[in-house]
């Protein structure tokens, strides 16, 4: 049966996400991902993507397309409702689209992201510029924390990123299923994030 090139790419992307999540970026090979995607040609992943970095970028784009759209929708609604300066609204726009993506079928995405964050230099080597909504949320959160020293804001946003990624990995559903949206853990994460960002700044 003929399988379109687009469908083959999608299978490789999903297989890559799963294999990277389970084995780590360093341990997994493109050949292994081709086999996991059910490709007779074990060089299929290399043919379609060339490198691991290109496949990782494709996985990120595959997930972030819907996440970005949802987040931009939430940001626009907050703006229309006069809540653009509300920290909790910004945090919900950050967390909820990620949680919804996992609940809707991206069950390996959390562990995939956790594995990426374990790679030294990941943030400097990966093009985050395609995550428009993430930049907007980060700016919104920073504006809400205008009274907090900038180095403290930077450090706490880094903590928030790691907290969110590992919370995603810890709460992946065992199988695709209809669940509460946003799930309970996402609400708890927003509560925790708000406490983290607004905690008293220690002196000295």
């Amino acid at each position: 049966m003929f399988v379109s090139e687009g469908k083959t790419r999608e299978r490789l992307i999903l297989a890559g996400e799963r294999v990277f999540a389970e084995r780590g970026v360093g341990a997994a090979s493109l050949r292994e991902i081709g086999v996991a995607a059910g490709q007779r040609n074990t060089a299929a992943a290399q043919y379609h993507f060339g490198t691991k970095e290109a496949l990782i970028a494709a996985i990120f784009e595959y997930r972030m397309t819907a996440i970005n759209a949802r987040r931009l929708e939430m940001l626009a609604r907050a703006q229309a409702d006069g809540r653009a300066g509300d920290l909790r609204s910004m945090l919900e726009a950050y967390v909820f689209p990620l949680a919804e993506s996992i609940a809707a079928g991206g069950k390996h995405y959390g562990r995939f992201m956790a594995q990426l964050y374990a790679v030294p230099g990941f943030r400097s080597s990966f093009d985050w510029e395609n995550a428009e909504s993430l930049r907007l949320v980060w700016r919104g959160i920073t504006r809400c924390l205008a009274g907090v020293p900038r180095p403290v804001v930077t450090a706490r946003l880094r903590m928030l990123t790691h907290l969110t990624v590992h919370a995603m990995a810890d709460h992946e559903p065992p199988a695709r299923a209809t669940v509460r949206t946003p799930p309970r853990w996402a609400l708890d994460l927003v509560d925790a994030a708000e406490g983290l960002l607004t905690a008293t700044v220690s002196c000295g």
Side-chain angles (χ1 to χ4, degrees):
M1 181 176 64
F2 174 75
V3 179
S4 70
E5 183 169 336
K7 193 66 176 177
T8 298
R9 279 180 60 89
E10 183 178 32
R11 288 180 178 177
L12 289 165
I13 285 170
L14 293 175
E17 181 184 61
R18 176 173 60 80
V19 173
F20 285 140
E22 293 174 348
R23 290 180 39 73
V25 175
S29 68
L30 291 178
R31 179 183 179 87
E32 179 181 2
I33 289 167
V35 171
Q39 301 301 301
R40 292 182 180 177
N41 179 2
T42 55
Q46 185 172 13
Y47 169 78
H48 283 276
F49 301 101
T51 64
K52 280 187 187 181
E53 289 75 15
L55 176 55
I56 288 168
I59 295 168
F60 185 74
E61 181 180 2
Y62 180 83
R63 292 296 177 198
M64 284 304 300
T65 297
I67 291 170
N68 270 328
R70 173 65 172 140
R71 190 175 283 145
L72 289 171
E73 175 189 321
M74 293 185 70
L75 290 171
R77 186 179 307 149
Q79 182 71 37
D81 293 344
R83 295 181 292 108
D86 175 37
L87 179 59
R88 188 169 187 89
S89 294
M90 293 299 101
L91 290 171
E92 289 177 351
Y94 172 53
V95 171
F96 289 176
L98 293 167
E100 291 167 1
S101 176
I102 291 173
K107 68 174 187 170
H108 300 293
Y109 186 58
R111 279 185 293 153
F112 165 74
M113 290 299 294
Q115 292 282 9
L116 284 184
Y117 270 85
V119 176
F122 161 66
R123 291 184 63 82
S124 62
S125 65
F126 193 81
D127 180 14
W128 283 92
E129 291 302 309
N130 58 7
E132 177 188 3
S133 64
L134 183 60
R135 298 197 310 274
L136 293 174
V137 163
W138 244 227
R139 290 171 189 165
I141 292 173
T142 301
R143 284 195 301 268
C144 292
L145 300 174
V148 180
R150 180 54 64 92
V152 175
V153 173
T154 300
R156 290 186 180 182
L157 287 177
R158 189 177 301 115
M159 294 177 198
L160 174 59
T161 300
H162 284 276
L163 174 64
T164 302
V165 166
H166 288 285
M168 289 165 55
D170 288 344
H171 291 90
E172 290 180 351
R176 184 167 185 167
T178 301
V179 297
R180 174 179 173 178
T181 302
R184 177 70 247 180
W185 68 264
L187 295 170
D188 290 339
L189 178 56
V190 170
D191 291 341
E194 190 169 15
L196 168 66
L197 296 176
T198 60
T200 300
V201 178
S202 299
C203 298

